[in-house]
Amino acid sequence: MSRDSRPAFDPYKHLNITINPNGSCTRHFSWPMVDPDPDPCPGKLAASKDVTINHETGVSVRIFRPTNLPSNDNAVARLPIIIHLHGSGWILYPANSAANYRCCSQMASELTVIVVSVHYRLPPEHRLPAQYDDALDALLWVKQQVVDSTNGEPWLRDYADFSRCYICGSSNGANIAFQLALRSLDHDLTPLKIDGCVFYQPLFGGKTRTKSELKNFADPVMPVPAVDAMWELSLPVGVDRDHRYCNPLGYLPQKEKVGRLGRCLVIGYGGDTSLDRQQDFVNLLVAAGVRVEARFDDAGFHSIELVDPRRAVALLNMIRDFIS
């Protein structure tokens, strides 16, 4: 069936949203939200707390620490830090959703790390690059906690290994993670050190349809018209999907900068609408000289870890191997 002869598809109905005259979005759904729980009592995977990092924008982070802290010679062992950018479909899910709470709690517990989950602002009320700005604010805030030995956030000051910081993102969160990694190169993060990046099913796009987009055009999780709508509501007004925020090939002229990224892990699945974009992204990293570990499985689809516990465990194992 040709593209023009496909049956009409209303992406906004699929996403269950309405676009308002002022450009904002009404979301006709409510996702379970979870408040932080700072008490590391037995039986819980992790304790968590919220900290506002930018009082002007209202952006906050949620910090997760394992309930059981490892020790060496009666001293608490220092734990790696993961700056976490959740998958939100750009416009749909905040960081305090139950799904993200579960993900970050499991990550903190299973990997024995400190997770700093960024509650970035959502489009279309806050279009790109607001999300990149929020992520950078979070990274610079984490650095400040070790610099300020007196007033630094205790969970980071007392438990974190600032020489082992990782940037990790899922779906559009992986898009944000890539931009954050690039922006971090413009800042002196000492004594914080970025030791690697994890890009899980990174969401990218472009004007020209790829084979995986055409093959999965009506995918129940990521139908192409819905992805188009997400980009339309997220990109700066007036730019198209070949803008570098959407299409990473826009960074080809900046190969030297891309090549300064540290180790990268890219994970994807054969049934993902964005598969070809993800592989183009890997090729960009490799061409720039980045040390890349690409883990692609022919079986699987976008966000499979949310419905298949075995894939969630496999994902954690891949990240564990990478940061170890």
mmCIF file of all heavy atoms in Angstrom, residues 276-314:
data_model
loop_
_atom_site.group_PDB
_atom_site.id
_atom_site.type_symbol
_atom_site.label_atom_id
_atom_site.label_comp_id
_atom_site.label_asym_id
_atom_site.label_seq_id
_atom_site.Cartn_x
_atom_site.Cartn_y
_atom_site.Cartn_z
ATOM 1 N N ASP A 276 16.549 1.782 12.038
ATOM 2 C CA ASP A 276 17.518 2.296 11.062
ATOM 3 C C ASP A 276 18.171 3.587 11.552
ATOM 4 O O ASP A 276 19.369 3.812 11.322
ATOM 5 C CB ASP A 276 16.843 2.533 9.709
ATOM 6 C CG ASP A 276 16.416 1.239 9.029
ATOM 7 O OD1 ASP A 276 16.983 0.182 9.366
ATOM 8 O OD2 ASP A 276 15.507 1.280 8.185
ATOM 9 N N ARG A 277 17.411 4.423 12.222
ATOM 10 C CA ARG A 277 17.973 5.661 12.786
ATOM 11 C C ARG A 277 19.028 5.324 13.840
ATOM 12 O O ARG A 277 20.077 5.979 13.921
ATOM 13 C CB ARG A 277 16.875 6.498 13.431
ATOM 14 C CG ARG A 277 15.700 6.833 12.548
ATOM 15 C CD ARG A 277 16.020 7.901 11.533
ATOM 16 N NE ARG A 277 14.845 8.251 10.747
ATOM 17 C CZ ARG A 277 14.884 8.985 9.648
ATOM 18 N NH1 ARG A 277 16.048 9.464 9.211
ATOM 19 N NH2 ARG A 277 13.781 9.262 8.970
ATOM 20 N N GLN A 278 18.744 4.310 14.644
ATOM 21 C CA GLN A 278 19.684 3.913 15.691
ATOM 22 C C GLN A 278 20.979 3.379 15.090
ATOM 23 O O GLN A 278 22.079 3.682 15.583
ATOM 24 C CB GLN A 278 19.025 2.873 16.590
ATOM 25 C CG GLN A 278 17.840 3.413 17.374
ATOM 26 C CD GLN A 278 16.928 2.334 17.910
ATOM 27 O OE1 GLN A 278 17.223 1.144 17.796
ATOM 28 N NE2 GLN A 278 15.794 2.749 18.485
ATOM 29 N N GLN A 279 20.860 2.622 14.016
ATOM 30 C CA GLN A 279 22.065 2.096 13.378
ATOM 31 C C GLN A 279 22.842 3.198 12.659
ATOM 32 O O GLN A 279 24.079 3.186 12.634
ATOM 33 C CB GLN A 279 21.687 0.949 12.443
ATOM 34 C CG GLN A 279 21.139 -0.253 13.218
ATOM 35 C CD GLN A 279 20.746 -1.419 12.348
ATOM 36 O OE1 GLN A 279 20.412 -1.264 11.174
ATOM 37 N NE2 GLN A 279 20.747 -2.614 12.910
ATOM 38 N N ASP A 280 22.131 4.174 12.106
ATOM 39 C CA ASP A 280 22.813 5.347 11.548
ATOM 40 C C ASP A 280 23.574 6.090 12.645
ATOM 41 O O ASP A 280 24.680 6.599 12.422
ATOM 42 C CB ASP A 280 21.803 6.302 10.901
ATOM 43 C CG ASP A 280 21.262 5.787 9.577
ATOM 44 O OD1 ASP A 280 21.872 4.857 9.000
ATOM 45 O OD2 ASP A 280 20.228 6.312 9.115
ATOM 46 N N PHE A 281 22.972 6.150 13.823
ATOM 47 C CA PHE A 281 23.613 6.805 14.966
ATOM 48 C C PHE A 281 24.900 6.079 15.350
ATOM 49 O O PHE A 281 25.943 6.702 15.591
ATOM 50 C CB PHE A 281 22.624 6.833 16.133
ATOM 51 C CG PHE A 281 23.172 7.372 17.422
ATOM 52 C CD1 PHE A 281 23.693 8.661 17.501
ATOM 53 C CD2 PHE A 281 23.148 6.595 18.574
ATOM 54 C CE1 PHE A 281 24.184 9.163 18.693
ATOM 55 C CE2 PHE A 281 23.628 7.089 19.775
ATOM 56 C CZ PHE A 281 24.156 8.374 19.829
ATOM 57 N N VAL A 282 24.834 4.757 15.394
ATOM 58 C CA VAL A 282 26.041 3.966 15.686
ATOM 59 C C VAL A 282 27.120 4.245 14.648
ATOM 60 O O VAL A 282 28.303 4.436 14.979
ATOM 61 C CB VAL A 282 25.710 2.461 15.734
ATOM 62 C CG1 VAL A 282 26.995 1.623 15.782
ATOM 63 C CG2 VAL A 282 24.833 2.140 16.939
ATOM 64 N N ASN A 283 26.721 4.281 13.371
ATOM 65 C CA ASN A 283 27.692 4.543 12.305
ATOM 66 C C ASN A 283 28.322 5.924 12.454
ATOM 67 O O ASN A 283 29.519 6.102 12.184
ATOM 68 C CB ASN A 283 27.013 4.407 10.936
ATOM 69 C CG ASN A 283 26.606 2.974 10.622
ATOM 70 O OD1 ASN A 283 27.185 2.030 11.159
ATOM 71 N ND2 ASN A 283 25.610 2.807 9.778
ATOM 72 N N LEU A 284 27.524 6.912 12.884
ATOM 73 C CA LEU A 284 28.065 8.251 13.129
ATOM 74 C C LEU A 284 29.119 8.205 14.226
ATOM 75 O O LEU A 284 30.204 8.779 14.080
ATOM 76 C CB LEU A 284 26.932 9.201 13.524
ATOM 77 C CG LEU A 284 27.359 10.571 14.093
ATOM 78 C CD1 LEU A 284 28.014 11.421 13.015
ATOM 79 C CD2 LEU A 284 26.160 11.301 14.706
ATOM 80 N N LEU A 285 28.815 7.521 15.315
ATOM 81 C CA LEU A 285 29.763 7.430 16.424
ATOM 82 C C LEU A 285 31.050 6.727 15.988
ATOM 83 O O LEU A 285 32.158 7.187 16.296
ATOM 84 C CB LEU A 285 29.125 6.681 17.597
ATOM 85 C CG LEU A 285 27.911 7.334 18.266
ATOM 86 C CD1 LEU A 285 27.346 6.412 19.345
ATOM 87 C CD2 LEU A 285 28.263 8.681 18.864
ATOM 88 N N VAL A 286 30.896 5.617 15.280
ATOM 89 C CA VAL A 286 32.066 4.858 14.834
ATOM 90 C C VAL A 286 32.917 5.690 13.883
ATOM 91 O O VAL A 286 34.152 5.736 13.988
ATOM 92 C CB VAL A 286 31.637 3.534 14.168
ATOM 93 C CG1 VAL A 286 32.830 2.844 13.501
ATOM 94 C CG2 VAL A 286 30.993 2.608 15.194
ATOM 95 N N ALA A 287 32.265 6.378 12.934
ATOM 96 C CA ALA A 287 32.996 7.208 11.972
ATOM 97 C C ALA A 287 33.762 8.328 12.657
ATOM 98 O O ALA A 287 34.806 8.775 12.167
ATOM 99 C CB ALA A 287 32.027 7.783 10.939
ATOM 100 N N ALA A 288 33.253 8.767 13.820
ATOM 101 C CA ALA A 288 33.920 9.843 14.562
ATOM 102 C C ALA A 288 35.033 9.309 15.461
ATOM 103 O O ALA A 288 35.747 10.093 16.082
ATOM 104 C CB ALA A 288 32.900 10.605 15.398
ATOM 105 N N GLY A 289 35.163 7.989 15.526
ATOM 106 C CA GLY A 289 36.228 7.404 16.331
ATOM 107 C C GLY A 289 35.845 7.068 17.755
ATOM 108 O O GLY A 289 36.716 6.804 18.590
ATOM 109 N N VAL A 290 34.544 7.053 18.063
ATOM 110 C CA VAL A 290 34.083 6.735 19.408
ATOM 111 C C VAL A 290 34.162 5.225 19.639
ATOM 112 O O VAL A 290 33.898 4.427 18.734
ATOM 113 C CB VAL A 290 32.627 7.224 19.607
ATOM 114 C CG1 VAL A 290 32.112 6.847 20.997
ATOM 115 C CG2 VAL A 290 32.547 8.725 19.396
ATOM 116 N N ARG A 291 34.514 4.842 20.852
ATOM 117 C CA ARG A 291 34.519 3.419 21.224
ATOM 118 C C ARG A 291 33.074 3.009 21.504
ATOM 119 O O ARG A 291 32.500 3.399 22.518
ATOM 120 C CB ARG A 291 35.384 3.192 22.456
ATOM 121 C CG ARG A 291 36.863 3.434 22.235
ATOM 122 C CD ARG A 291 37.599 3.500 23.574
ATOM 123 N NE ARG A 291 37.336 2.329 24.399
ATOM 124 C CZ ARG A 291 37.579 2.269 25.706
ATOM 125 N NH1 ARG A 291 38.045 3.335 26.338
ATOM 126 N NH2 ARG A 291 37.349 1.159 26.387
ATOM 127 N N VAL A 292 32.499 2.236 20.602
ATOM 128 C CA VAL A 292 31.068 1.910 20.674
ATOM 129 C C VAL A 292 30.876 0.412 20.856
ATOM 130 O O VAL A 292 31.497 -0.402 20.172
ATOM 131 C CB VAL A 292 30.328 2.358 19.393
ATOM 132 C CG1 VAL A 292 28.839 2.074 19.529
ATOM 133 C CG2 VAL A 292 30.562 3.820 19.114
ATOM 134 N N GLU A 293 30.004 0.077 21.776
ATOM 135 C CA GLU A 293 29.519 -1.293 21.895
ATOM 136 C C GLU A 293 28.060 -1.274 21.471
ATOM 137 O O GLU A 293 27.227 -0.644 22.132
ATOM 138 C CB GLU A 293 29.651 -1.801 23.332
ATOM 139 C CG GLU A 293 29.160 -3.223 23.507
ATOM 140 C CD GLU A 293 29.284 -3.722 24.937
ATOM 141 O OE1 GLU A 293 29.954 -3.030 25.753
ATOM 142 O OE2 GLU A 293 28.697 -4.774 25.256
ATOM 143 N N ALA A 294 27.749 -1.909 20.350
ATOM 144 C CA ALA A 294 26.380 -1.921 19.814
ATOM 145 C C ALA A 294 25.763 -3.286 20.089
ATOM 146 O O ALA A 294 26.302 -4.315 19.671
ATOM 147 C CB ALA A 294 26.385 -1.621 18.325
ATOM 148 N N ARG A 295 24.638 -3.276 20.800
ATOM 149 C CA ARG A 295 23.945 -4.519 21.137
ATOM 150 C C ARG A 295 22.542 -4.471 20.540
ATOM 151 O O ARG A 295 21.641 -3.835 21.096
ATOM 152 C CB ARG A 295 23.870 -4.674 22.661
ATOM 153 C CG ARG A 295 25.220 -4.646 23.379
ATOM 154 C CD ARG A 295 25.984 -5.939 23.198
ATOM 155 N NE ARG A 295 25.314 -7.046 23.849
ATOM 156 C CZ ARG A 295 25.529 -7.403 25.128
ATOM 157 N NH1 ARG A 295 26.383 -6.703 25.874
ATOM 158 N NH2 ARG A 295 24.909 -8.436 25.646
ATOM 159 N N PHE A 296 22.371 -5.123 19.391
ATOM 160 C CA PHE A 296 21.077 -5.148 18.711
ATOM 161 C C PHE A 296 20.561 -6.580 18.655
ATOM 162 O O PHE A 296 21.293 -7.496 18.291
ATOM 163 C CB PHE A 296 21.195 -4.579 17.291
ATOM 164 C CG PHE A 296 21.317 -3.086 17.240
ATOM 165 C CD1 PHE A 296 22.558 -2.478 17.320
ATOM 166 C CD2 PHE A 296 20.188 -2.280 17.145
ATOM 167 C CE1 PHE A 296 22.685 -1.098 17.295
ATOM 168 C CE2 PHE A 296 20.297 -0.893 17.125
ATOM 169 C CZ PHE A 296 21.549 -0.299 17.195
ATOM 170 N N ASP A 297 19.304 -6.738 19.034
ATOM 171 C CA ASP A 297 18.641 -8.043 19.027
ATOM 172 C C ASP A 297 17.549 -8.005 17.966
ATOM 173 O O ASP A 297 16.721 -7.090 17.962
ATOM 174 C CB ASP A 297 18.048 -8.321 20.410
ATOM 175 C CG ASP A 297 17.542 -9.751 20.561
ATOM 176 O OD1 ASP A 297 17.137 -10.358 19.551
ATOM 177 O OD2 ASP A 297 17.537 -10.257 21.696
ATOM 178 N N ASP A 298 17.536 -9.000 17.082
ATOM 179 C CA ASP A 298 16.525 -9.036 16.015
ATOM 180 C C ASP A 298 15.114 -9.109 16.582
ATOM 181 O O ASP A 298 14.168 -8.580 15.986
ATOM 182 C CB ASP A 298 16.766 -10.227 15.085
ATOM 183 C CG ASP A 298 17.999 -10.040 14.214
ATOM 184 O OD1 ASP A 298 18.431 -8.890 14.045
ATOM 185 O OD2 ASP A 298 18.533 -11.054 13.720
ATOM 186 N N ALA A 299 14.957 -9.783 17.716
ATOM 187 C CA ALA A 299 13.639 -9.920 18.328
ATOM 188 C C ALA A 299 13.434 -8.820 19.355
ATOM 189 O O ALA A 299 14.323 -8.542 20.164
ATOM 190 C CB ALA A 299 13.502 -11.285 18.987
ATOM 191 N N GLY A 300 12.271 -8.198 19.315
ATOM 192 C CA GLY A 300 11.975 -7.153 20.296
ATOM 193 C C GLY A 300 11.417 -5.912 19.639
ATOM 194 O O GLY A 300 11.478 -5.744 18.419
ATOM 195 N N PHE A 301 10.873 -5.024 20.457
ATOM 196 C CA PHE A 301 10.236 -3.809 19.947
ATOM 197 C C PHE A 301 10.472 -2.687 20.948
ATOM 198 O O PHE A 301 11.049 -2.897 22.030
ATOM 199 C CB PHE A 301 8.737 -4.037 19.716
ATOM 200 C CG PHE A 301 8.024 -4.672 20.884
ATOM 201 C CD1 PHE A 301 7.536 -3.907 21.934
ATOM 202 C CD2 PHE A 301 7.857 -6.052 20.934
ATOM 203 C CE1 PHE A 301 6.893 -4.480 23.009
ATOM 204 C CE2 PHE A 301 7.209 -6.654 22.022
ATOM 205 C CZ PHE A 301 6.726 -5.857 23.051
ATOM 206 N N HIS A 302 10.004 -1.489 20.604
ATOM 207 C CA HIS A 302 10.257 -0.324 21.446
ATOM 208 C C HIS A 302 9.585 -0.484 22.810
ATOM 209 O O HIS A 302 8.412 -0.839 22.900
ATOM 210 C CB HIS A 302 9.735 0.942 20.758
ATOM 211 C CG HIS A 302 10.416 2.188 21.216
ATOM 212 N ND1 HIS A 302 11.632 2.587 20.725
ATOM 213 C CD2 HIS A 302 10.064 3.119 22.144
ATOM 214 C CE1 HIS A 302 12.001 3.718 21.310
ATOM 215 N NE2 HIS A 302 11.067 4.057 22.178
ATOM 216 N N SER A 303 10.353 -0.272 23.861
ATOM 217 C CA SER A 303 9.880 -0.345 25.250
ATOM 218 C C SER A 303 9.480 -1.749 25.670
ATOM 219 O O SER A 303 8.662 -1.926 26.582
ATOM 220 C CB SER A 303 8.699 0.622 25.477
ATOM 221 O OG SER A 303 9.081 1.955 25.202
ATOM 222 N N ILE A 304 10.085 -2.761 25.073
ATOM 223 C CA ILE A 304 9.727 -4.141 25.407
ATOM 224 C C ILE A 304 9.996 -4.457 26.865
ATOM 225 O O ILE A 304 9.317 -5.290 27.476
ATOM 226 C CB ILE A 304 10.484 -5.131 24.485
ATOM 227 C CG1 ILE A 304 9.958 -6.558 24.702
ATOM 228 C CG2 ILE A 304 11.986 -5.058 24.702
ATOM 229 C CD1 ILE A 304 10.548 -7.579 23.748
ATOM 230 N N GLU A 305 10.975 -3.773 27.464
ATOM 231 C CA GLU A 305 11.331 -4.065 28.854
ATOM 232 C C GLU A 305 10.207 -3.720 29.828
ATOM 233 O O GLU A 305 10.185 -4.204 30.966
ATOM 234 C CB GLU A 305 12.615 -3.309 29.238
ATOM 235 C CG GLU A 305 12.445 -1.850 29.557
ATOM 236 C CD GLU A 305 12.215 -0.972 28.340
ATOM 237 O OE1 GLU A 305 12.287 -1.478 27.192
ATOM 238 O OE2 GLU A 305 11.969 0.239 28.535
ATOM 239 N N LEU A 306 9.245 -2.895 29.397
ATOM 240 C CA LEU A 306 8.133 -2.513 30.262
ATOM 241 C C LEU A 306 7.087 -3.620 30.373
ATOM 242 O O LEU A 306 6.291 -3.620 31.325
ATOM 243 C CB LEU A 306 7.471 -1.233 29.754
ATOM 244 C CG LEU A 306 8.348 0.019 29.723
ATOM 245 C CD1 LEU A 306 7.558 1.205 29.191
ATOM 246 C CD2 LEU A 306 8.909 0.325 31.109
ATOM 247 N N VAL A 307 7.091 -4.545 29.419
ATOM 248 C CA VAL A 307 6.078 -5.609 29.421
ATOM 249 C C VAL A 307 6.689 -7.002 29.532
ATOM 250 O O VAL A 307 5.966 -7.969 29.747
ATOM 251 C CB VAL A 307 5.197 -5.531 28.147
ATOM 252 C CG1 VAL A 307 4.405 -4.236 28.130
ATOM 253 C CG2 VAL A 307 6.029 -5.659 26.883
ATOM 254 N N ASP A 308 7.997 -7.107 29.384
ATOM 255 C CA ASP A 308 8.670 -8.408 29.456
ATOM 256 C C ASP A 308 9.756 -8.330 30.527
ATOM 257 O O ASP A 308 10.832 -7.768 30.292
ATOM 258 C CB ASP A 308 9.287 -8.765 28.104
ATOM 259 C CG ASP A 308 9.859 -10.182 28.074
ATOM 260 O OD1 ASP A 308 10.128 -10.739 29.150
ATOM 261 O OD2 ASP A 308 10.076 -10.709 26.969
ATOM 262 N N PRO A 309 9.501 -8.878 31.722
ATOM 263 C CA PRO A 309 10.481 -8.791 32.812
ATOM 264 C C PRO A 309 11.844 -9.381 32.447
ATOM 265 O O PRO A 309 12.875 -8.914 32.945
ATOM 266 C CB PRO A 309 9.824 -9.586 33.943
ATOM 267 C CG PRO A 309 8.362 -9.551 33.647
ATOM 268 C CD PRO A 309 8.266 -9.556 32.140
ATOM 269 N N ARG A 310 11.860 -10.378 31.580
ATOM 270 C CA ARG A 310 13.144 -10.979 31.190
ATOM 271 C C ARG A 310 14.001 -9.972 30.427
ATOM 272 O O ARG A 310 15.228 -9.941 30.583
ATOM 273 C CB ARG A 310 12.906 -12.225 30.332
ATOM 274 C CG ARG A 310 12.189 -13.364 31.048
ATOM 275 C CD ARG A 310 11.782 -14.439 30.078
ATOM 276 N NE ARG A 310 10.903 -13.899 29.035
ATOM 277 C CZ ARG A 310 10.481 -14.579 27.989
ATOM 278 N NH1 ARG A 310 10.863 -15.849 27.824
ATOM 279 N NH2 ARG A 310 9.671 -14.038 27.101
ATOM 280 N N ARG A 311 13.363 -9.158 29.613
ATOM 281 C CA ARG A 311 14.110 -8.137 28.865
ATOM 282 C C ARG A 311 14.588 -7.030 29.802
ATOM 283 O O ARG A 311 15.633 -6.436 29.579
ATOM 284 C CB ARG A 311 13.241 -7.567 27.745
ATOM 285 C CG ARG A 311 12.927 -8.565 26.638
ATOM 286 C CD ARG A 311 14.193 -9.161 26.022
ATOM 287 N NE ARG A 311 13.887 -10.025 24.911
ATOM 288 C CZ ARG A 311 14.025 -9.693 23.637
ATOM 289 N NH1 ARG A 311 14.477 -8.497 23.314
ATOM 290 N NH2 ARG A 311 13.719 -10.554 22.686
ATOM 291 N N ALA A 312 13.799 -6.753 30.831
ATOM 292 C CA ALA A 312 14.234 -5.760 31.815
ATOM 293 C C ALA A 312 15.494 -6.239 32.532
ATOM 294 O O ALA A 312 16.435 -5.464 32.755
ATOM 295 C CB ALA A 312 13.114 -5.483 32.812
ATOM 296 N N VAL A 313 15.526 -7.517 32.883
ATOM 297 C CA VAL A 313 16.710 -8.090 33.531
ATOM 298 C C VAL A 313 17.894 -8.080 32.571
ATOM 299 O O VAL A 313 19.024 -7.730 32.946
ATOM 300 C CB VAL A 313 16.418 -9.528 34.017
ATOM 301 C CG1 VAL A 313 17.706 -10.207 34.481
ATOM 302 C CG2 VAL A 313 15.388 -9.515 35.134
ATOM 303 N N ALA A 314 17.639 -8.445 31.311
ATOM 304 C CA ALA A 314 18.716 -8.464 30.314
ATOM 305 C C ALA A 314 19.293 -7.070 30.107
ATOM 306 O O ALA A 314 20.516 -6.903 29.951
ATOM 307 C CB ALA A 314 18.204 -9.031 28.988
#
